[in-house]
Amino acid sequence: MLGPVVLLVTSPGIALDAYTPLVSELRAGGAEVVPVVFPCSGSFDDHVAQVRRVAGSREVVVLAHGLGATVALNAADTLEVERWVLVAPVLDVVVGPGLEALAAAPVASGVDLRKASDRALEVYGGEGARERVRCVSAAVAREVQGWMRAEHVPVDPAAVTAPVWLSVGLLDEVATVEATLDTSRRFPDRTVVRPGVNRLDPEDYRHLDLVTDAVPRRLAVHAALEGW
Amino acid sequence: MIALLSAWILGSALAVEPELVRLSTADGAEVVVHHTPGAGPPVLLVHGVSSNHRFWDMAPGFSLADHLAEAGFDVWNVDLRSHGDALRLASGRKQDPDADIDAYGEHDIPAVVAHVRSVTGASRVHYVGHSMGGMVLAIYLASHGDEALASAVVVASPLDLRDPDRIFELLLGAGHLVGPIRRLPTPLGARGLALFKRTFPGQVDVMLHNPENVDPRVEGRMFRTVVSPLTRGEIGQLSQMAADPNFSGSRGDTVFRYELGEVTVPILFVAGRADRVVSPERVRAYHDAVGSLDKDFVVISKANGFSGDYGHLDPCCAREASVELFPRIADWLATHPPADRER
């Protein structure tokens, strides 16, 4: 039996390698996986257009991570979506000293996260994250910095009619619980899963962990393949 | 580490013990306040559920009470009724275990505030509350307003349990099983945790604090000293959140998150990134509910430049709390003097 068509919207700045186990499990479950990987160029609107082009007119399950979820949600009005599986989606921002530093960082021709400082990488998940990040275009970086300064991310959860499943990690410093959960309550049909110690999982999870570590990854795969 | 432990040992020998003040409340209960006099403005320190005044004064080097006293504040470290030195009335009889959290905010805190204002002549006091101590503040504000407060600091306090973790769904749902048990012997459980750390099923101790931030010897002392029995009244009112995730009055007539829009007192909200009891979005929701224009929200995390991701009990006893949290609290109080509120 064929599984769904899963539009995998990766997060700008995260290498495709980080999603390899996720893709493997989706395919093993019978899904046709259509990845969307953003280049280190172009604007946020270019990324949204890319999602629309890749999705076409097919009905899809959208599995989107981090900033990729922000992009995908901005394309929602033209997508045929059976259900949304949002892993650590960036829906809003509450700025603390860590993000203040990123909001003020100079952006030249782009941002190569592989060369980021240890403190900046702490936001993604610490030193281990360096292997899994890549570049973000200058235009997107400046757009995101603007969101941080305004403490507002341009998504409209209330307009999303298909069911939404989302996972958040206690230790996530990108899609923080304090920014994500409150805004996510505006999705009309939403289910939240909180992988971590309080769910009796082995540990709590950071931004990248939610797609790379086995427990949260399998939760997302199940939601994409089977629903909830 | 050695320096800190040495300070602890030496400090223990030289520490000036606070004066114990026993106060009666309007409903016939008693609270005990540990007073360290200072020339500066008065500040109340209020502990959380199943805790006591030792949370804010565990030992030299791990004492917000000492830190604020050294900074010149007039420190009033509270044992709410049925906690710590207020477990019993002056007569020796144990206090009513069915008193709920409403009683703490409607009677205990007003009694302390009235006494402090009376003996010091201060028109306003500062308030620092941890966990339930911050919930008590919300009750106090809803029932008495903020006229008597100069500023407040809310550390790891929730006003709702929306989107609960599985563990909280289980705990809240089990609240009704308490039944005839007047007080849960949580100090015994805490002593067990102190002995058998990391071996309890479900990582119970890890849920309460982040072991990466707390030295093992301090951790043991923390579990042995800062825990008081959990009362039936507290369990009853908290268990209401199984049916309605908003923290409400025990009579069901007040949802505290909706009662703070007219609050103008400056409040600093502090959350721990690794707080598995009160995760940061709950503290943020409390922050958002307060009408004050002078408020701030900070998450103690490595990404924000702190030494670690703080857990729920870490504000008491983390290795670096005295250098990265206590000064921040003191600074908030100092930069919001009572006189500012008179203008």
Side-chain angles (χ1 to χ4, degrees):
Chain A
M1 185 173 176
L2 290 177
V5 176
V6 176
L7 188 73
L8 173 62
V9 186
T10 64
S11 184
I14 308 297
L16 183 58
D17 284 353
Y19 300 94
T20 300
L22 181 76
V23 171
S24 297
E25 288 174 13
L26 286 168
R27 287 178 175 154
E32 176 188 345
V33 182
V34 182
V36 182
V37 181
F38 301 107
C40 297
S41 60
S43 66
F44 183 80
D45 287 346
D46 291 335
H47 288 359
V48 173
Q50 181 179 346
V51 170
R52 290 194 173 116
R53 273 197 312 276
V54 173
S57 58
R58 292 173 288 190
E59 185 179 60
V60 295
V61 171
V62 176
L63 196 166
H65 172 232
L67 204 52
T70 320
V71 175
L73 287 168
N74 273 266
D77 57 338
T78 60
L79 300 181
E80 290 294 324
V81 180
E82 181 182 343
R83 54 182 173 271
W84 296 83
V85 176
L86 304 178
V87 179
V90 175
L91 303 179
D92 206 342
V93 60
V94 174
V95 175
L99 289 184
E100 273 176 4
L102 287 177
V107 173
S109 54
V111 176
D112 188 346
L113 292 173
R114 289 165 297 194
K115 297 178 182 172
S117 67
D118 289 347
R119 174 150 169 202
L121 275 185
E122 195 64 51
V123 169
Y124 283 91
E127 183 56 35
R130 201 176 294 279
E131 309 285 317
R132 294 168 173 163
V133 296
R134 52 193 292 268
C135 53
V136 178
S137 78
V140 171
R142 290 193 193 103
E143 181 108 21
V144 172
Q145 287 182 318
W147 300 346
M148 291 179 192
R149 286 190 291 271
E151 286 202 288
H152 173 73
V153 173
V155 292
D156 184 10
V160 176
T161 54
V164 174
W165 178 101
L166 66 109
S167 62
V168 294
L170 179 66
L171 304 182
D172 191 336
E173 293 281 5
V174 178
T176 62
V177 289
E178 63 268 24
T180 307
L181 283 170
D182 191 44
T183 304
S184 77
R185 293 184 184 114
R186 300 208 296 267
F187 288 116
D189 182 353
R190 138 219 193 260
T191 298
V192 172
V193 174
R194 308 184 66 160
V197 169
N198 281 1
R199 212 184 69 102
L200 305 182
D201 295 322
E203 59 187 309
D204 286 308
Y205 302 101
R206 295 183 183 273
H207 190 65
L208 276 173
D209 299 337
L210 288 162
V211 285
T212 60
D213 278 38
V215 170
R217 184 182 72 230
R218 285 173 190 159
L219 289 170
V221 167
H222 183 270
L225 293 177
E226 310 283 347
W228 50 91
Chain B
M1 164 73 172
I2 293 172
L4 208 53
L5 285 174
S6 301
W8 175 2
I9 294 165
L10 185 61
S12 298
L14 299 176
V16 173
E17 285 299 308
E19 165 201 14
L20 256 66
V21 179
R22 185 174 286 270
L23 302 172
S24 295
T25 68
D27 63 339
E30 293 177 3
V31 296
V32 171
V33 193
H34 305 257
H35 178 216
T36 306
V43 52
L44 273 59
L45 305 181
V46 184
H47 58 78
V49 75
S50 197
S51 189
N52 57 64
H53 76 281
R54 283 286 174 211
F55 184 85
W56 288 127
D57 184 28
M58 194 194 71
F62 302 93
S63 171
L64 178 65
D66 285 351
H67 185 92
L68 292 177
E70 287 160 16
F73 290 94
D74 185 38
V75 180
W76 301 79
N77 192 2
V78 180
D79 271 325
L80 298 166
R81 68 179 73 184
S82 292
H83 297 80
D85 291 322
L87 176 63
R88 299 175 185 276
L89 298 165
S91 64
R93 186 175 171 185
K94 279 189 178 175
Q95 301 214 57
D96 180 9
D98 289 313
D100 52 28
I101 305 171
D102 284 347
Y104 306 161
E106 292 173 1
H107 297 294
D108 292 12
I109 297 303
V112 178
V113 169
H115 176 79
V116 171
R117 292 170 90 184
S118 169
V119 301
T120 67
S123 59
R124 300 177 191 271
V125 305
H126 294 290
Y127 184 109
V128 181
H130 175 255
S131 195
M132 184 190 74
M135 300 163 85
V136 170
L137 173 65
I139 298 169
Y140 173 80
L141 290 171
S143 57
H144 289 75
D146 61 5
E147 180 268 337
L149 298 183
S151 82
V153 181
V154 169
V155 182
S157 302
L159 289 185
D160 75 274
L161 278 181
R162 289 173 291 172
D163 298 315
D165 295 304
R166 179 176 294 173
I167 196 77
F168 279 98
E169 287 177 335
L170 292 172
L171 287 173
L172 291 177
H176 68 282
L177 297 175
V178 172
I181 303 172
R182 296 157 64 85
R183 291 176 187 81
L184 277 184
T186 40
L188 271 179
R191 283 171 189 269
L193 284 178
L195 284 174
F196 302 112
K197 297 186 288 287
R198 284 332 90 64
T199 59
F200 266 52
Q203 306 182 72
V204 172
D205 56 331
V206 172
M207 287 180 190
L208 297 174
H209 75 295
N210 186 348
E212 292 178 12
N213 299 328
V214 182
D215 288 318
R217 282 188 58 183
V218 175
E219 187 180 44
R221 180 161 177 163
M222 176 182 74
F223 281 130
R224 288 191 303 272
T225 59
V226 308
V227 184
S228 281
L230 187 55
T231 70
R232 189 163 58 193
E234 289 167 342
I235 295 170
Q237 189 166 357
L238 292 171
S239 297
Q240 288 177 175
M241 288 196 275
D244 178 347
N246 290 298
F247 178 57
S248 305
S250 58
R251 297 173 290 276
D253 52 350
T254 306
V255 175
F256 295 106
R257 197 158 59 87
Y258 302 147
E259 297 292 323
L260 305 177
E262 301 301 314
V263 167
T264 60
V265 65
I267 306 181
L268 169 66
F269 292 87
V270 180
R273 177 57 73 208
D275 191 335
R276 298 171 178 109
V277 179
V278 182
S279 45
E281 84 278 8
R282 310 204 187 290
V283 184
R284 180 69 187 191
Y286 191 161
H287 163 280
D288 290 347
V290 168
S292 175
L293 298 180
D294 188 353
K295 57 185 179 180
D296 202 1
F297 172 77
V298 61
V299 178
I300 305 184
S301 69
K302 279 192 255 187
N304 280 337
F306 292 91
S307 63
D309 296 331
Y310 272 34
H312 192 61
L313 298 181
D314 293 18
C316 146
C317 309
R319 193 177 295 113
E320 303 294 333
S322 65
V323 296
E324 63 187 0
L325 176 60
F326 297 171
R328 187 175 282 258
I329 293 175
D331 185 63
W332 180 265
L333 304 183
T335 54
H336 294 88
D340 280 4
R341 294 267 288 152
E342 307 296 340
R343 298 188 194 127

